[in-house]
Amino acid sequence: MDKLRLILDISKTHLLAKKKQTLVAALGVTFGIGMFIIMMSFMTGLNILLDGLVLNRTPHIQIYNKTTPTEYQPANKYFDEVSNINQIYSIKPKSRLDRIHNALPILSELKKNDDVLGATPQTTCKVFYLSGSNNLNGVISGIEVNEEIRLFNFNEYVVKGDVNSLIKKKNSILLGSGIAKKLSLSVGDNIQITSTNGTNFSLNIGGIYQSGLAEVDDIQSFVNLKMAQQISSAGGNYISRIHVKLKDIEKAVPFSKLIENIYDVEALDINTANAQFDTGSDIRTLISYAVSITLLIVAGFGIYNILNMFIYEKMNDIAILKATGFTGKDVMYIFILQALVIGFIGAFLGMAIGYGGSVLIDNIKFETEALPTIKTYPINYNPNFYILGFIFATVSTFLAGYLPAKKAQKIDPIDIIRGQ
Amino acid sequence: MNSILEAKNIDKYFLTPTKFHVLKDISLQVQRKEFVSIMGKSGCGKSTLLYILSTMDTSYTGDLIIDGQSMNNQSKDDLSRIRNEKIGFIFQFHYLLPEFTVLKNVMLPALKLGKEDRKTIEKNALAKLDLLGIVDQANKKASKISGGQKQRVAIARALINNPKIIMADEPTGNLDSKNSEIVFNVLRSLSDEFDMSMLVVTHDHDFAAKTDRIIEMEDGYILKDKMEEI
Ligand SMILES: Nc1ncnc2c1ncn2[C@@H]1O[C@H](COP(=O)(O)OP(=O)(O)OP(=O)(O)O)[C@@H](O)[C@H]1O
Ligand SMILES: [Mg+2]
């Protein structure tokens, strides 16, 4: 303990005697760590934002009716494949309704499942939007608003008006922003729609829906589930899709397989639906790590240089300490400690600057039509970056200090004394 | 067995720039409480010999025994410890840590030895500085005092651990006759009162004349050692 105190004492005097150099060395670390934290916070903030954009609104599993042809064709029933060669050309799927067979029992069974956070039905129908002499193709989905809000943050995408208007008024519609623009309609106006079988409905615009994806916003609108069933002129069991959110997204793949095995439906899991998306965010994370680590390594070289210089200037001190009975190890610890102190100061300043920079970016306005829920640049305040930065700072300063300190350990005091 | 330091048949060569036999078969003894001076022309190898005797230089052949203990097979760390505890060294050019205070310079070897607590060490250090008449400089930085004062701080530092032997390389080289007198008297009284031995390289005949014994060197040999004459 006393020994440590002595070494600390000597290191402190050395560092304080060269305040400027100490500070410059520490600032090298500060810059590296600060940039690392800002980079990581911003990049992962962006990743989370983009992930969230997709993950929050994409169901973990989408269930809809099978449209692929049956694998076991009727011909196989009569001519067994062992003794016959069945070759059927251009197989077409059987014409089927858009609706999921037995949707309501499936829905209630899913809701009871322990893995399922929630499941919500949708009824989708193709329509024409009419306004004056214009008419546009489009799609209207009937939804259970409360469940959509709870599971998929639906409310975040209603940029004008009131999302709950669907519950309050039966003939309310949340109109896609692209459609609203083209037909120059706004909240409170009425819009005529025509269903595929020719029936006209007059709906009142309760809100404007904007997903940020133009191809969606140009065709998609939402109404109450009941309303959509009415537009499709079908009953309360007419459900064309079921969207499932699981408690654990990792289970999406096995769970979708399970659903397909049990029910006669198609179940699309989120991994398959967004395969390319994952790769994108992985690569972004990789790039930010690579850049940050490069910064930290550059900072490490800076420390190495300055400590080398420190030791060069302190040759006399080293010789005196050794001549008066300090061991090579003592001298080595003295310089390693100096490196570590520089590392600590640099790391703490770096964390402060990293945090300050993050707050600054967090407050910069960033408004874009594509991302209606975003007001400022995204920042991920993850304490792990601070811990990681701190660890890296201390490890790299230790390494950068170790080599020169090792050199100091080996210095022969006689060489220095004779050199005078 | 009263010798504190014994050197037997010490030879040393410098290999660069050319092979050079700097110390030739040096044998000598220093007794307890004895005050020995080494004299000789510049370049005859006095400093080189002193570095070997003080265990700092280990590239030589021959035997070195300090306080009854052979130095031949000691590790570097052990030599550091022995140097710290048993040998006080005063360099030809005052060698202080410029960024530390005078007091800290004196205290450091004792702090390293760690036999006493800080308070006691500080008290001892102040006492040594007082002995050398520079206690008023204690809290100045070592870089901010005069050459003669530095020399005396270096002496105080050599004394701090109450070593068995003090080796000094021209300790009065930079001092006027009055200050040399002071230094001599301090060393003399230390050797008398605290049983310390002294081995002092000097060019000052007056200084040497007052010591117990003079060893004269020339070109790496011991030319004359008064003890041998007796
Ligand atoms: N590192 C070295 N390499 C080669 N030769 C050296 C080295 N150091 C000293 N010498 C030579 O060794 C001899 C002895 O040097 P040393 O320093 O011991 O002399 P000295 O007796 O102390 O002289 P002075 O009274 O001037 O201090 C000198 O001739 C010197 O040139
Ligand atoms: Mg000399």
Side-chain angles (χ1 to χ4, degrees):
Chain A
M1 216 46 229
D2 271 356
K3 187 179 159 187
L4 186 73
R5 190 172 159 199
L6 177 59
I7 285 172
L8 208 79
D9 202 13
I10 297 172
S11 308
K12 200 177 83 186
T13 311
H14 276 169
L15 288 174
L16 288 181
K18 290 268 180 316
K19 287 196 194 84
K20 230 191 211 158
Q21 286 180 22
T22 306
L23 205 68
V24 168
L27 285 181
V29 184
T30 302
F31 182 73
I33 303 302
M35 286 309 286
F36 168 77
I37 290 173
I38 293 174
M39 280 274 301
M40 291 311 289
S41 302
F42 185 49
M43 287 299 257
T44 57
L46 211 60
N47 270 353
I48 290 173
L49 172 97
L50 294 172
D51 285 356
L53 226 52
V54 172
L55 296 185
N56 285 344
R57 76 172 88 162
T58 314
H60 294 172
I61 299 171
Q62 306 176 38
I63 299 170
Y64 47 88
N65 213 355
K66 257 204 172 101
T67 44
T68 47
T70 11
E71 278 178 27
Y72 193 67
Q73 290 291 321
N76 301 348
K77 251 186 210 170
Y78 300 102
F79 313 103
D80 69 292
E81 282 176 273
V82 186
S83 49
N84 297 287
I85 299 166
N86 295 333
Q87 198 57 275
I88 311 165
Y89 291 99
S90 71
I91 295 175
K92 293 282 184 300
K94 185 176 142 194
S95 105
R96 284 168 52 148
L97 286 171
D98 217 13
R99 60 180 278 207
I100 300 172
H101 193 60
N102 273 339
L104 291 180
I106 294 176
L107 194 61
S108 70
E109 261 183 61
L110 282 175
K111 280 181 178 172
K112 269 183 252 161
N113 193 298
D114 280 340
D115 285 335
V116 175
L117 188 68
T120 162
Q122 286 199 1
T123 294
T124 306
C125 41
K126 296 197 180 71
V127 294
F128 291 109
Y129 299 103
L130 312 172
S131 174
S133 55
N134 290 325
N135 64 22
L136 292 173
N137 276 326
V139 173
I140 285 182
S141 293
I143 56 172
E144 284 180 349
V145 183
N146 287 333
E147 282 293 278
E148 292 286 344
I149 292 172
R150 179 172 78 92
L151 300 173
F152 305 115
N153 303 321
F154 182 73
N155 50 323
E156 285 181 10
Y157 303 100
V158 176
V159 290
K160 272 181 226 150
D162 180 13
V163 65
N164 287 316
S165 61
L166 291 197
I167 306 168
K168 290 176 197 151
K169 260 196 295 184
K170 196 189 165 217
N171 70 335
S172 183
I173 183 170
L174 300 173
L175 195 65
S177 63
I179 308 159
K181 202 170 192 179
K182 283 184 189 163
L183 301 180
S184 60
L185 292 167
S186 62
V187 179
D189 292 346
N190 284 333
I191 180 170
Q192 299 289 322
I193 60 153
T194 310
S195 73
T196 35
N197 53 25
T199 328
N200 276 336
F201 294 87
S202 172
L203 299 174
N204 181 257
I205 301 173
I208 302 294
Y209 167 85
Q210 185 179 328
S211 67
L213 305 173
E215 67 267 38
V216 173
D217 297 338
D218 281 353
I219 56 168
Q220 177 79 60
S221 299
F222 292 90
V223 296
N224 200 316
L225 185 64
K226 288 262 149 39
M227 190 67 220
Q229 284 162 347
Q230 200 176 322
I231 294 170
S232 311
S233 52
N237 60 355
Y238 187 95
I239 286 164
S240 51
R241 303 177 82 84
I242 296 174
H243 288 172
V244 181
K245 187 158 188 171
L246 298 174
K247 285 177 184 149
D248 177 9
I249 189 171
E250 301 299 325
K251 287 193 180 145
V253 177
F255 204 83
S256 71
K257 293 247 162 63
L258 187 76
I259 292 174
E260 280 184 346
N261 283 341
I262 299 175
Y263 312 111
D264 179 29
V265 293
E266 198 115 326
L268 179 68
D269 61 86
I270 187 164
N271 295 35
T272 317
N274 294 300
Q276 84 287 13
F277 193 82
D278 259 7
T279 339
S281 76
D282 280 357
I283 287 174
R284 275 195 302 275
T285 312
L286 199 71
I287 289 173
S288 29
Y289 268 103
V291 171
S292 306
I293 285 174
T294 313
L295 280 173
L296 292 179
I297 288 173
V298 170
F301 274 109
I303 297 164
Y304 173 80
N305 252 331
I306 286 184
L307 274 167
N308 243 338
M309 214 166 70
F310 252 52
I311 286 170
Y312 193 75
E313 284 176 357
K314 291 282 181 296
M315 283 296 194
N316 268 342
D317 284 27
I318 294 168
I320 296 165
L321 288 170
K322 286 188 169 178
T324 55
F326 284 78
T327 60
K329 276 223 178 67
D330 291 334
V331 171
M332 185 177 90
Y333 291 145
I334 287 170
F335 286 99
I336 285 183
L337 203 71
Q338 294 187 28
L340 283 180
V341 169
I342 289 174
F344 278 135
I345 295 174
F348 278 116
L349 281 179
M351 291 197 293
I353 283 180
Y355 182 75
S358 301
V359 170
L360 207 73
I361 291 176
D362 202 4
N363 282 308
I364 296 175
K365 276 212 162 39
F366 175 61
E367 286 179 41
T368 154
E369 198 156 315
L371 306 168
T373 55
I374 306 304
K375 298 280 173 279
T376 58
Y377 280 100
I379 286 287
N380 173 20
Y381 291 101
N382 187 339
N384 283 347
F385 302 142
Y386 295 78
I387 296 169
L388 205 70
F390 187 82
I391 291 173
F392 196 95
T394 40
V395 168
S396 66
T397 44
F398 175 81
L399 290 181
Y402 182 78
L403 297 174
K406 196 82 192 160
K407 203 165 80 187
Q409 183 190 4
K410 296 213 182 89
I411 285 172
D412 186 350
I414 291 298
D415 287 344
I416 312 296
I417 292 163
R418 276 214 196 91
Q420 289 288 301
Chain B
M1 192 22 252
N2 227 354
S3 72
I4 189 77
L5 177 128
E6 188 176 357
K8 285 187 215 156
N9 312 108
I10 292 204
D11 276 280
K12 179 175 173 73
Y13 294 86
F14 281 123
L15 300 176
T16 48
T18 50
K19 191 166 174 175
F20 171 48
H21 199 174
V22 55
L23 295 176
K24 299 159 187 163
D25 195 32
I26 301 263
S27 296
L28 63 85
Q29 286 195 7
V30 177
Q31 307 300 320
R32 237 169 258 277
K33 293 178 76 165
E34 201 180 12
F35 198 147
V36 180
S37 53
I38 300 176
M39 295 194 75
K41 274 198 227 112
S42 177
C44 71
K46 303 181 297 294
S47 297
T48 308
L49 176 63
L50 220 51
Y51 296 146
I52 290 174
L53 297 181
S54 66
T55 76
M56 282 192 277
D57 189 351
T58 50
S59 58
Y60 62 91
T61 56
D63 294 327
L64 176 62
I65 297 155
I66 292 175
D67 202 17
Q69 197 179 6
S70 168
M71 296 295 115
N72 285 17
N73 293 312
Q74 306 279 3
S75 72
K76 272 202 178 267
D77 283 1
D78 285 335
L79 289 178
S80 289
R81 212 186 50 234
I82 291 164
R83 206 151 58 229
N84 185 227
E85 196 177 344
K86 297 188 173 167
I87 303 171
F89 200 94
I90 303 165
F91 294 97
Q92 181 164 11
F93 302 99
H94 41 76
Y95 246 109
L96 301 177
L97 301 172
E99 287 146 357
F100 291 74
T101 61
V102 164
L103 182 63
K104 219 16 163 326
N105 265 287
V106 178
M107 285 169 71
L108 278 176
L111 291 171
K112 167 61 194 166
L113 187 64
K115 275 200 177 149
E116 288 151 317
D117 61 85
R118 237 160 216 273
K119 277 257 157 57
T120 320
I121 290 172
E122 188 172 330
K123 218 178 73 207
N124 292 344
L126 287 169
K128 304 288 183 209
L129 287 171
D130 196 24
L131 205 63
L132 289 148
I134 40 167
V135 73
D136 53 323
Q137 309 289 327
N139 291 316
K140 272 196 190 169
K141 273 203 176 168
S143 55
K144 302 244 159 81
I145 56 175
S146 80
Q149 287 170 331
K150 281 182 192 164
Q151 192 71 293
R152 281 182 277 165
V153 176
I155 297 171
R157 182 180 60 194
L159 299 178
I160 189 71
N161 282 343
N162 294 317
K164 303 270 178 180
I165 181 164
I166 287 181
M167 300 184 196
D169 199 349
E170 297 181 45
T172 58
N174 298 327
L175 300 183
D176 57 28
S177 57
K178 186 176 154 262
N179 276 313
S180 326
E181 182 88 23
I182 294 175
V183 168
F184 177 82
N185 289 337
V186 167
L187 294 179
R188 178 86 256 178
S189 66
L190 284 167
S191 119
D192 291 346
E193 285 166 36
F194 300 102
D195 292 358
M196 283 183 198
S197 308
M198 301 287 157
L199 185 59
V200 180
V201 170
T202 182
H203 287 292
D204 182 346
H205 285 279
D206 296 341
F207 187 103
K210 288 186 276 185
T211 61
D212 300 341
R213 176 156 69 102
I214 300 171
I215 296 172
E216 270 182 59
M217 280 183 74
E218 197 175 291
D219 290 339
Y221 292 106
I222 290 186
L223 193 66
K224 201 157 66 177
D225 187 344
K226 271 190 184 156
M227 190 181 79
E228 285 166 0
E229 287 175 1
I230 299 165

